Amino acid sequence: MIAKKYKDMLGKKSVIREISEYGGQRAQEIGYENVFDFSLGNPSVPAPRIVDETIAKLALQGDSLAVHGYSPSLGLDSVREAIAYSLNNRFGMNYSKDHIFPTSGAAAALAHAVRAVTEPGDEVLTFAPHFSEYYPYINETGAVLKVVPANVENFQINFIAFEKMFNPKVNAILINSPNNPSGVVYSAETLTRLAEILLAKEKEYGHDIYIISDEPYREIIFDGKKTPYTSKFYANTISCYSFSKSLSLPGERIGYIAVNPACKDAALIVDMCGQISRGIGHNCPSSIIQLAVAEVLEQTSDLQVYEDNMHILYDALTEMGFSCVKPDGTFYMFPKSLEPDAVAFCNKAKEFDLLLVPGDGFGCPGHFRIAYCVPTEKVQRSLEAFRKLAVYYNK
Amino acid sequence: MIAKKYKDMLGKKSVIREISEYGGQRAQEIGYENVFDFSLGNPSVPAPRIVDETIAKLALQGDSLAVHGYSPSLGLDSVREAIAYSLNNRFGMNYSKDHIFPTSGAAAALAHAVRAVTEPGDEVLTFAPHFSEYYPYINETGAVLKVVPANVENFQINFIAFEKMFNPKVNAILINSPNNPSGVVYSAETLTRLAEILLAKEKEYGHDIYIISDEPYREIIFDGKKTPYTSKFYANTISCYSFSKSLSLPGERIGYIAVNPACKDAALIVDMCGQISRGIGHNCPSSIIQLAVAEVLEQTSDLQVYEDNMHILYDALTEMGFSCVKPDGTFYMFPKSLEPDAVAFCNKAKEFDLLLVPGDGFGCPGHFRIAYCVPTEKVQRSLEAFRKLAVYYNK
């Protein structure tokens, strides 16, 4: 008897993946260069050369038993120490290795963090627009994801809706800044107000409430801005990081959990993550990849292309009449669709070989996501298609 | 509120890990060479040079976006095809890529397989002696692990006890051959009889029953013997493999599920594994490691040392009066302890700086495990300590 739950999930495959698969087929028909596929958040710039040189060095010159041997269930100590040291330098924190847990990317980090701080049936609140995969990540833990409607003016937090949805079953708040799909960074004001509300709610309900801060785009930030570091605003914060975007290593499944040392039971939560791994068969990311990233923590890929692409698209689309909150970072933007039904709008866009993702799956209908992690020349060539789409709606 | 379940698990940490940690401390006191640590099943021979050369080649010469890019949720097609081709050649099967799902080692393979073919509350039967980590792997899926008592004469299956424990809630049978901790390979007769019983039970209960075949030691086999391939005996078989032992890559977390093409819903089970991954944050093993092992599927580390160690230990221990079923493979053996309480026995052994693991955690009290994946010269030097231990009990 195969499991009904997972069989049923097959009927609800990722919309993004389906659009991307269509893009692959369409490319075979009319040529890859003629499909403006903005569907997938897959980095378009290579990993820094130093990453590959480090991997090769470890493989060819390292002690095989050390490089490829079992990692302790909490990750390699040297890697945990290097991550703690780097975060302390960059964000003025005081992590030790006991607060760091290497994970298979941000997906595993989120799945572990939610398992660690919720009981089945507890609620996790997140804010629209949100990454569509939060549903499987959170709901499979036994907790229940609830989505606070968007503040569509600026994609900061809709605090009025947030406070209305709060209740004693809420044990964790999941935030994502810089945000997929809006590209917006939560301001210091937003994080300060969020922290104030949570402290008050902790007191009112008599239990801890954790922020799970999903930060894979932390390093992709435009116009010289900074991403406020969530843990500086709220003690009970668990940061979830991935090197997928900053080092262009999405296939290597490497990231970490960093539990704020001021968080209640901080080191215990990390120890528990080791136990959570036993049950889900995770057992640490690849040891050679752990060792490699630990040597290049201050590096990033050449991320300038994303900023260039954003400016080209933002300037052109707003000039064409699109309404869009300007991204602070990431490689996404999230304009309003030119008809209320974003699914219909994205289907229309397909006729111009523009592959866009409707906002419905991000909890924010009436918008669409552009993933502009593509070569700049393709962004430039896509403007003609966007213009035709705008003309169609404005005719 | 941190999760009670995982906090409680911290009190039940792996006994093996604890003994191994003691070994590390003791080594600091009296020198690493003087501690005969037979606790951990960690390969003692390096990965084949070709593995490291392949990793380095992919890193330095590969297309970064292809080598490090997102793997599809079912794994890289080229890797799945290579694995299917190799298994077909070696075992006369007819797998296609649609039957193969790359996993983060055997742990993830088992966790996925059980999730795919059981509903919460279903029973999974396994046979003592069994790998102690089966409890967290299986029970975290929602299924319930039940252990059939050992046939201590030869560590084949105790069919009388097995049939008594069978009931309609049993949906999967978990076997491990070559076996950790006994080193025994299930014979063709054992697998034939197992298959006959399962076919009869499927008919009796009117539902499918799957064999989940845990095969990480398949390649470590002594005296020119062969490991019968479980899928050749029973259609509804899901093989779970890991390269941890055959290629000495335990830290790289790389293995796969191979669903017998004759298995009911074979390709559907693989598709479901992709959905299971979404929920547990697994999302494929490292892409560069997937690509590397796919190029060296017919290779192994130099495994001769394990066979040499087995013969030295088996001959010496039986000569000293230990009673032991002779291993067919792996790097384990599982003799009877010299007093009924194997925990007390292993504590006594510690006084001679012999680190052994009591059989209780393997579902088989009165025995102990020797993990002889250590250098041969150390095995030879350990014999004096075993002799002193035997003399203590025989005095």
Side-chain angles (χ1 to χ4, degrees):
Chain A
M1 308 283 94
I2 56 176
K4 188 170 180 310
K5 179 170 79 172
Y6 302 110
K7 193 177 171 190
D8 289 350
M9 280 175 80
L10 284 170
K12 300 168 201 158
K13 276 190 180 172
S14 158
V15 172
I16 299 171
R17 291 262 179 183
E18 281 181 6
I19 297 171
S20 156
E21 279 166 23
Y22 167 84
Q25 291 159 18
R26 184 68 177 145
Q28 295 198 330
E29 292 166 29
I30 63 166
Y32 172 77
E33 69 283 6
N34 296 315
V35 182
F36 303 110
D37 186 348
F38 294 107
S39 64
L40 261 194
N42 209 354
S44 59
V45 291
R49 186 69 186 162
I50 184 75
V51 170
D52 284 313
E53 287 170 353
T54 305
I55 292 171
K57 181 194 74 179
L58 287 163
L60 296 176
Q61 297 167 33
D63 168 8
S64 178
L65 297 181
V67 169
H68 301 303
Y70 276 118
S71 166
S73 55
L74 298 177
L76 292 164
D77 274 353
S78 64
V79 174
R80 300 167 73 200
E81 266 161 23
I83 292 169
Y85 182 83
S86 166
L87 288 174
N88 293 347
N89 268 356
R90 290 185 57 205
F91 299 112
M93 297 290 294
N94 59 337
Y95 294 111
S96 76
K97 74 171 176 56
D98 297 333
H99 306 112
I100 308 296
F101 179 73
T103 62
S104 297
L110 293 172
H112 277 68
V114 174
R115 278 177 171 82
V117 300
T118 64
E119 299 283 353
D122 283 352
E123 289 184 15
V124 176
L125 294 184
T126 196
F127 303 96
H130 66 87
F131 181 38
S132 43
E133 290 294 285
Y134 283 171
Y135 276 111
Y137 294 167
I138 307 308
N139 289 342
E140 275 302 295
T141 67
V144 181
L145 184 70
K146 296 270 171 89
V147 178
V148 179
N151 172 351
V152 294
E153 291 311 302
N154 55 17
F155 294 132
Q156 299 289 319
I157 287 176
N158 180 341
F159 282 106
I160 293 165
F162 176 53
E163 294 207 60
K164 270 192 199 152
M165 289 178 68
F166 227 107
N167 71 74
K169 290 177 79 175
V170 174
N171 271 268
I173 311 298
L174 172 53
I175 67 172
N176 174 219
S177 168
N179 181 265
N180 172 6
S182 74
V184 163
V185 169
Y186 285 171
S187 66
E189 292 69 33
T190 293
L191 293 174
T192 301
R193 188 163 166 199
L194 177 61
E196 284 167 359
I197 292 170
L198 295 186
L199 287 174
K201 293 291 178 188
E202 283 192 328
K203 209 167 168 183
E204 180 183 346
Y205 297 138
H207 65 71
D208 297 308
I209 300 168
Y210 295 86
I211 291 182
I212 297 172
S213 180
D214 181 22
E215 307 175 358
Y217 300 97
R218 196 172 63 200
E219 268 63 68
I220 311 180
I221 193 83
F222 304 148
D223 302 325
K225 289 178 187 160
K226 297 233 172 200
T227 307
Y229 192 64
T230 308
S231 268
K232 299 298 277 185
F233 293 80
Y234 188 67
N236 283 343
T237 294
I238 302 175
S239 294
C240 295
Y241 188 72
S242 166
F243 296 94
S244 292
K245 318 297 177 176
S246 60
L247 289 175
S248 296
L249 297 175
E252 303 305 347
R253 314 309 305 140
I254 181 75
Y256 59 81
I257 277 175
V259 184
N260 189 340
C263 179
K264 186 145 171 243
D265 298 319
L268 180 60
I269 287 172
V270 170
D271 281 351
M272 286 164 62
C273 285
Q275 299 304 309
I276 293 166
S277 286
R278 284 170 84 189
I280 63 180
H282 162 271
N283 289 65
C284 297
S286 152
S287 47
I288 194 171
I289 299 295
Q290 281 189 62
L291 292 165
V293 296
E295 291 195 27
V296 297
L297 289 170
E298 310 297 320
Q299 305 286 326
T300 66
S301 295
D302 180 0
L303 304 171
Q304 184 61 38
V305 59
Y306 304 134
E307 182 162 353
D308 294 344
N309 290 353
M310 185 278 284
H311 283 297
I312 292 166
L313 277 167
Y314 180 81
D315 292 348
L317 265 66
T318 49
E319 190 265 336
M320 290 174 207
F322 284 89
S323 165
C324 184
V325 176
K326 191 170 185 183
D328 302 305
T330 78
F331 39 58
Y332 305 111
M333 58 200 296
F334 199 59
K336 280 191 182 139
S337 51
L338 296 180
E339 62 176 307
D341 180 348
V343 176
F345 172 79
C346 292
N347 279 332
K348 177 53 69 182
K350 259 190 191 172
E351 295 177 16
F352 303 94
D353 291 309
L354 271 177
L355 304 190
L356 312 170
V357 181
D360 304 63
F362 303 103
C364 199
H367 294 73
F368 65 97
R369 188 183 80 168
I370 308 175
Y372 45 85
C373 39
V374 298
T376 300
E377 69 81 23
K378 198 161 196 176
V379 168
Q380 273 157 336
R381 284 195 295 111
S382 76
L383 297 182
E384 186 55 28
F386 276 110
R387 192 159 287 121
K388 285 179 188 163
L389 181 64
V391 166
Y392 168 84
Y393 279 100
N394 295 325
K395 72 178 174 253
Chain B
M1 307 286 93
I2 56 176
K4 187 171 180 310
K5 180 169 78 171
Y6 302 110
K7 193 177 171 191
D8 289 349
M9 281 175 79
L10 285 171
K12 299 168 202 156
K13 274 190 181 172
S14 159
V15 172
I16 300 171
R17 291 262 180 184
E18 281 182 6
I19 296 172
S20 155
E21 280 166 23
Y22 167 83
Q25 290 159 20
R26 185 69 179 145
Q28 295 199 328
E29 292 166 29
I30 63 167
Y32 173 75
E33 69 284 5
N34 296 316
V35 181
F36 303 110
D37 185 349
F38 294 107
S39 63
L40 260 194
N42 209 354
S44 59
V45 291
R49 186 68 187 164
I50 184 75
V51 171
D52 284 313
E53 286 169 355
T54 305
I55 292 171
K57 180 194 74 180
L58 288 163
L60 295 176
Q61 297 167 33
D63 169 8
S64 178
L65 296 181
V67 169
H68 301 304
Y70 275 118
S71 167
S73 54
L74 297 178
L76 292 164
D77 274 353
S78 64
V79 174
R80 298 168 73 200
E81 267 160 22
I83 292 169
Y85 181 83
S86 166
L87 288 174
N88 293 346
N89 268 357
R90 291 186 56 204
F91 301 112
M93 297 291 294
N94 60 336
Y95 294 110
S96 75
K97 73 171 177 56
D98 298 334
H99 305 113
I100 308 296
F101 179 74
T103 61
S104 298
L110 294 173
H112 278 70
V114 174
R115 278 177 171 81
V117 299
T118 64
E119 299 283 352
D122 282 353
E123 288 184 15
V124 176
L125 294 185
T126 196
F127 303 96
H130 66 87
F131 181 39
S132 44
E133 290 294 286
Y134 283 172
Y135 277 111
Y137 294 169
I138 307 307
N139 290 342
E140 275 301 294
T141 67
V144 180
L145 184 71
K146 296 269 170 90
V147 179
V148 179
N151 172 352
V152 294
E153 291 311 304
N154 55 18
F155 294 132
Q156 299 289 319
I157 287 176
N158 180 341
F159 283 106
I160 294 167
F162 176 53
E163 294 207 59
K164 271 192 198 149
M165 288 178 69
F166 227 106
N167 71 75
K169 291 176 79 174
V170 174
N171 272 269
I173 311 297
L174 171 53
I175 67 173
N176 173 219
S177 168
N179 181 264
N180 172 7
S182 74
V184 163
V185 169
Y186 284 171
S187 66
E189 293 68 35
T190 294
L191 292 173
T192 301
R193 187 163 168 198
L194 176 63
E196 284 167 0
I197 293 171
L198 296 186
L199 287 174
K201 293 292 179 188
E202 283 191 330
K203 209 167 169 184
E204 180 183 345
Y205 298 138
H207 65 72
D208 297 307
I209 301 168
Y210 296 86
I211 292 182
I212 298 172
S213 180
D214 182 21
E215 307 175 357
Y217 299 98
R218 197 171 62 201
E219 269 62 69
I220 310 180
I221 192 83
F222 304 148
D223 302 326
K225 290 178 187 159
K226 297 232 171 198
T227 307
Y229 192 65
T230 309
S231 269
K232 299 298 277 184
F233 294 80
Y234 188 68
N236 282 343
T237 295
I238 303 175
S239 294
C240 296
Y241 188 72
S242 166
F243 295 95
S244 293
K245 318 295 178 175
S246 60
L247 289 175
S248 296
L249 297 174
E252 303 305 346
R253 314 307 307 140
I254 180 76
Y256 59 81
I257 277 174
V259 184
N260 190 340
C263 178
K264 186 143 172 243
D265 299 319
L268 180 60
I269 287 172
V270 171
D271 281 351
M272 286 165 61
C273 285
Q275 299 304 309
I276 293 167
S277 287
R278 283 171 86 189
I280 63 179
H282 163 269
N283 290 66
C284 297
S286 152
S287 48
I288 193 171
I289 299 294
Q290 282 189 62
L291 292 165
V293 296
E295 291 196 26
V296 297
L297 289 171
E298 310 297 319
Q299 306 285 326
T300 66
S301 295
D302 180 1
L303 305 171
Q304 184 61 39
V305 59
Y306 304 134
E307 183 162 352
D308 295 343
N309 291 353
M310 185 279 284
H311 283 297
I312 293 167
L313 276 168
Y314 180 81
D315 292 348
L317 265 64
T318 49
E319 192 264 336
M320 290 174 207
F322 283 90
S323 166
C324 184
V325 177
K326 192 171 184 181
D328 302 306
T330 76
F331 38 58
Y332 305 110
M333 57 200 296
F334 199 59
K336 279 191 183 139
S337 52
L338 296 180
E339 63 175 307
D341 180 347
V343 176
F345 173 79
C346 292
N347 278 332
K348 176 56 69 180
K350 258 190 193 171
E351 294 177 16
F352 303 94
D353 291 309
L354 271 177
L355 303 190
L356 311 169
V357 181
D360 304 61
F362 302 103
C364 200
H367 294 73
F368 65 97
R369 188 183 80 170
I370 308 175
Y372 46 86
C373 39
V374 298
T376 300
E377 67 82 24
K378 198 162 198 176
V379 168
Q380 273 157 334
R381 285 195 293 111
S382 77
L383 297 182
E384 186 54 28
F386 276 110
R387 192 159 286 124
K388 285 180 188 162
L389 180 64
V391 166
Y392 168 84
Y393 279 100
N394 295 326
K395 70 176 175 259

